[in-house]
Amino acid sequence: MAVTRTFSIIKPDATRRNLTGKVTAMLEEAGLRVVASRRIRMTKEQAEGFYAVHKERPFFNDLVAFMTSGPVVVQVLEGEDAVALNRRVMGATNPENAEPGTIRRELAESIEANSVHGSDSAENAAIEIAFFFKPEDIVG
Ligand code: GDP
C-alpha cells in the first residue's frame, strides 16, 4: 500500500475541550503523520464552501453554524492508505455507532459535534487539502 495524504479537521467541540493534543495523539498512534497543521477560525463563507456538497441536507445551516462556532485545526495527514486509515481511526459519523477506541466513540459529543472531519476519498482529499493549504505549507 502506498503512502498517501488525507485532510483532517479537529472540530470546535474538540478544541473547546482542549482535546487538540489528544486527537492528534490518536491519529499518530494509528500510524498517521501530521505534515501540515494550522489553527483557524473558519468564516461562514469557508464553511459553506467546504461543505457545499451537503447544502441540500436539512442539517446544513446547523453544520455551518457549528463549524464557525470556535477554532478548528486543519491538518494534512500522511500514511499508508491515509484516507481509509483516517476514516477507521475516526469511527462512524454518529458516535453511538462508532467502534470502541475510535476518536468519535471516545471523544465526540453528538452526531454533529463529532470532533473530527476526514476526507472520504482520495479525490476529495486533494480538493480539501488545496482548499486550506498551499503546496509549500506541507512538509512531509
Ligand atoms: P462524515 O464524513 O462522517 O463527517 O459524515 P457526513 O459527510 O455525512 O457529514 C458531514 C458532517 O455533518 C458530519 O461529520 C457531522 O458533523 C454533520 N452531520 C452529519 N449527519 C448529521 C445529522 O444527521 N445531523 C446533524 N446535525 N449533523 C450531521
Side-chain angles (χ1 to χ4, degrees):
M1 203 56 83
V3 172
T4 57
R5 288 177 177 172
T6 191
F7 176 73
S8 170
I9 304 177
I10 303 176
K11 294 186 179 183
D13 67 285
T15 61
R16 176 172 47 77
R17 288 175 290 150
N18 210 21
L19 296 174
T20 298
K22 185 151 194 169
V23 171
T24 302
M26 290 174 84
L27 297 170
E28 291 177 339
E29 278 156 21
L32 291 157
R33 181 176 293 270
V34 180
V35 295
S37 186
R38 196 165 80 247
R39 182 172 165 111
I40 61 168
R41 184 74 180 247
M42 258 197 221
T43 64
K44 186 164 180 277
E45 291 67 32
Q46 275 177 316
E48 286 172 348
F50 184 77
Y51 280 118
V53 60
H54 291 311
K55 66 174 178 295
E56 305 306 329
R57 309 273 285 270
F59 57 81
F60 179 73
N61 288 339
D62 287 345
L63 179 59
V64 169
F66 167 61
M67 291 300 289
T68 57
S69 68
V72 301
V73 180
V74 291
Q75 297 179 318
V76 181
L77 307 177
E78 200 172 78
E80 296 277 328
D81 198 11
V83 169
L85 176 54
N86 185 40
R87 296 290 304 190
R88 280 201 299 280
V89 184
M90 288 164 60
T93 308
N94 185 344
E96 289 177 13
N97 301 332
E99 293 291 324
T102 60
I103 293 170
R104 284 168 165 173
R105 177 63 172 265
E106 302 305 324
L107 304 178
E109 294 184 318
S110 68
I111 191 169
E112 178 178 84
N114 60 4
S115 302
V116 278
H117 165 85
S119 310
D120 62 4
S121 68
E123 188 187 14
N124 283 337
I127 293 168
E128 293 175 356
I129 289 169
F131 198 92
F132 287 104
F133 290 99
K134 299 191 204 107
E136 63 266 33
D137 294 332
I138 305 168
V139 183

